[in-house]
């Protein structure tokens, strides 16, 4: 029975070392198993798709040009309105100054 224990102890130690080595090797394998997604080849589009994309790009460019024209028009209208508003405010201020002057004259005349 004494002879059995040294062999079983060696076997147990050997099994433990193998198990630990197996655990260590599994983690390194997981790092190596990286999934790489490759992009689709660029020539996979049909000519119909390319034509549709080209037409959509032209439509987008035209719409952007129209929006820029409208933006410039609105900016000009805003500046014109601000200028008109400033002119009206100057006229109101001038009329208020005339009104104050006329009221002061009537008070002095009494």
């Amino acid at each position: 029975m004494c002879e059995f224990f040294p062999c079983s102890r060696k076997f147990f130690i050997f099994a433990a070392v193998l198990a630990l080595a197996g655990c260590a090797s599994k983690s390194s394998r997981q790092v190596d198993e990286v999934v790489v997604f490759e992009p689709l080849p660029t020539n996979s589009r049909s000519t119909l798709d390319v034509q549709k994309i080209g037409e959509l790009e032209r439509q987008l460019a035209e719409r952007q040009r129209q929006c820029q024209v409208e933006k410039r028009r609105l900016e000009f209208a805003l500046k014109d309105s601000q200028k008109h508003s400033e002119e009206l405010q100057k006229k109101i201020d001038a009329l208020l100054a005339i009104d104050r002057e006329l009221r002061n004259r009537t008070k002095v005349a009494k």
Side-chain angles (χ1 to χ4, degrees), residues 2 4 22 25 42-43 45 70 74-75 82 88 92 106 109:
C2 289
F4 179 72
S25 66
T42 56
N43 61 358
R45 293 186 177 140
E70 181 69 11
L74 291 173
E75 286 174 346
Q82 288 173 338
L88 289 175
I92 290 171
T106 57

Side-chain angles (χ1 to χ4, degrees), residues 15 25-26 30 35 40 42 52-54 57 62:
S25 66
K26 285 182 183 177
Q30 288 175 351
V35 177
L40 293 175
T42 56
K52 285 181 181 179
I53 291 170
E57 287 174 344
E62 177 61 25

Side-chain angles (χ1 to χ4, degrees), residues 56-99:
L56 290 172
E57 287 174 344
R58 282 189 291 279
Q59 290 175 359
L60 177 63
E62 177 61 25
R63 185 66 184 133
Q64 286 175 334
R65 188 191 65 75
Q66 290 173 353
C67 287
Q68 286 295 327
V69 169
E70 181 69 11
K71 179 183 173 188
R72 281 188 229 118
R73 187 188 67 77
L74 291 173
E75 286 174 346
F76 179 74
L78 174 64
K79 288 179 183 178
D80 190 43
S81 294
Q82 288 173 338
K83 183 180 176 182
H84 186 67
S85 175
E86 289 171 3
E87 290 172 357
L88 289 175
Q89 187 62 46
K90 287 178 183 179
K91 289 179 182 179
I92 290 171
D93 292 342
L95 288 172
L96 287 173
I98 292 169
D99 184 52

Side-chain angles (χ1 to χ4, degrees), residues 5-16:
F5 284 117
C7 286
S8 65
R9 187 179 295 167
K10 289 179 185 177
F11 178 74
F12 178 71
I13 292 172
F14 182 71

Side-chain angles (χ1 to χ4, degrees), residues 101-110:
E101 186 179 323
L102 289 176
R103 287 182 190 212
N104 285 340
R105 285 185 188 174
T106 57
K107 287 181 184 177
V108 173
K110 290 184 182 178

